Amino acid sequence: MDLMPPRPILYRPLLERALREDLGRAGDLTTDAIIPTDRVVRAVIDARPPGTIAGLRIATEAFTVLDPDVTIEYLLEDGTGVEAGTDLAVVHGSARSVLAAERTVLNLLGHMCGVATATAAIAARIAGTGAVVADTRKTTPGMRALEKYAVRCGGGANHRFGLDDAVLIKDNHLAVAGSVTQAVQRVRSRVGHMIKIEVEVDDLDQLAEALDAGVEAVLLDNMSPSQLREAVELVDGRATTNASGGITPDNAREMAETGVDLLSIGWITHSAPNFDVGLDF
């Protein structure tokens, strides 16, 4: 399956900034004092707990950003579910270079695997319902492309990437516009025919108005399972239904069984537990 990894231009600057942040003005004082310049090592990156891998090639590119002579042998691909102790990659190269980039690599890889693992756990809980896990814009500044890629690695789908790729009319927009109808009309007069419009609704009256306005998707905000069932019945296939708010591992399946198309979950990116990965010579 093609997970569509982001192009290097989207994450290379992040790797460079992270390396500069760690090396500072004087470089790796500890390593440079202890390790001879000609020492070459073989290092293994492994997964400490079970989980889902994401960002392996992206994170380890930090080694080659710092030292193009470092080589990496990948033992599996992103999106793979692994058991505890699974080897992920073997790194060959200058001991100084490997040690200098180690923390940058493990920080990024651990975070991306954490996002993928959290996403995969929800996807497993709702399997067979027809619903899909989706992310939000609640991402770490500067890391959105990587976190959203990690969601795909975990079996989830991406909602908006930013403010410029789709329209989402939320409660504060409606407060200013005055009504769902007025907000949708104003948007349609400004955006091109390729742009989809989604409206956040709090109740069935707002939902009916949004459907009458011809929106392509509705965000069903903080609705109970019974309300979601009513909403799905009212929509009757006329728009994509997206449940959002208060979705946890414990209630995800109940939410999914209401018939909604998507479960939008912000915490899979902004609060996913870090995944423990290690590097050993």
Side-chain angles (χ1 to χ4, degrees):
M1 180 175 64
D2 184 3
L3 295 171
M4 299 181 294
R7 294 179 183 274
I9 194 172
L10 296 178
Y11 63 81
R12 270 259 176 169
L14 172 66
L15 299 180
E16 293 170 358
R17 286 196 303 272
L19 289 167
R20 285 197 299 268
E21 179 180 56
D22 215 15
L23 290 167
R25 294 171 298 175
D28 185 348
L29 297 179
T30 308
T31 297
D32 292 349
I34 296 172
I35 307 296
T37 57
D38 61 350
R39 182 61 57 86
V40 175
V41 295
R42 175 185 184 273
V44 177
I45 299 175
D46 71 307
R48 303 274 168 82
T52 301
I53 302 306
L56 182 58
R57 291 176 182 269
I58 292 170
T60 53
E61 196 170 319
F63 288 124
T64 56
V65 168
L66 189 65
D67 182 351
D69 291 330
V70 172
T71 62
I72 306 158
E73 176 189 358
Y74 297 101
L75 305 179
L76 47 76
E77 296 297 327
D78 285 346
T80 303
V82 299
E83 299 297 326
T86 300
D87 291 344
L88 309 179
V90 180
V91 183
H92 299 266
S94 161
R96 285 189 173 190
S97 298
V98 173
L99 286 168
E102 174 187 8
R103 180 44 52 198
T104 294
V105 170
L106 297 184
N107 283 350
L108 185 56
L109 181 58
H111 178 56
M112 292 184 68
C113 290
V115 171
T117 299
T119 304
I122 297 293
R125 285 179 181 252
I126 66 173
T129 65
V132 176
V133 184
D135 53 30
T136 70
R137 284 171 47 241
K138 295 176 182 177
T139 54
T140 307
M143 289 192 61
R144 182 168 295 170
L146 299 188
E147 289 175 344
K148 284 182 172 284
Y149 170 65
V151 168
R152 297 197 297 275
C153 290
N158 298 142
H159 196 235
R160 289 191 298 173
F161 267 78
L163 297 173
D164 62 341
D165 63 337
V167 171
L168 175 52
I169 302 171
K170 295 177 69 68
D171 54 355
N172 285 334
H173 297 116
L174 296 176
V176 175
S179 71
V180 171
T181 301
Q182 288 179 314
V184 172
Q185 288 176 345
R186 291 178 190 179
V187 166
R188 290 216 186 277
S189 69
R190 292 290 299 273
V191 302
H193 68 283
M194 297 292 289
I195 302 296
K196 290 186 176 182
I197 299 176
E198 183 173 18
V199 176
E200 178 185 87
V201 299
D202 298 322
D203 55 46
L204 297 183
D205 289 337
Q206 277 190 325
L207 175 57
E209 187 179 357
L211 293 171
D212 287 342
V215 301
E216 288 85 6
V218 287
L219 188 71
L220 307 170
D221 187 45
N222 284 301
M223 290 189 179
S224 67
S226 61
Q227 290 172 317
L228 288 175
R229 288 190 187 89
E230 289 185 74
V232 169
E233 185 176 349
L234 180 60
V235 171
D236 193 27
R238 289 179 285 171
T240 299
T241 52
N242 187 353
S244 178
I247 300 170
T248 69
D250 291 334
N251 67 16
R253 186 164 189 90
E254 183 181 14
M255 295 290 199
E257 287 176 341
T258 64
V260 293
D261 298 305
L262 300 167
L263 300 182
S264 277
I265 306 175
W267 63 261
I268 58 174
T269 50
H270 70 66
S271 297
N274 188 69
F275 184 84
D276 190 11
V277 286
L279 179 147
D280 295 293
F281 288 176

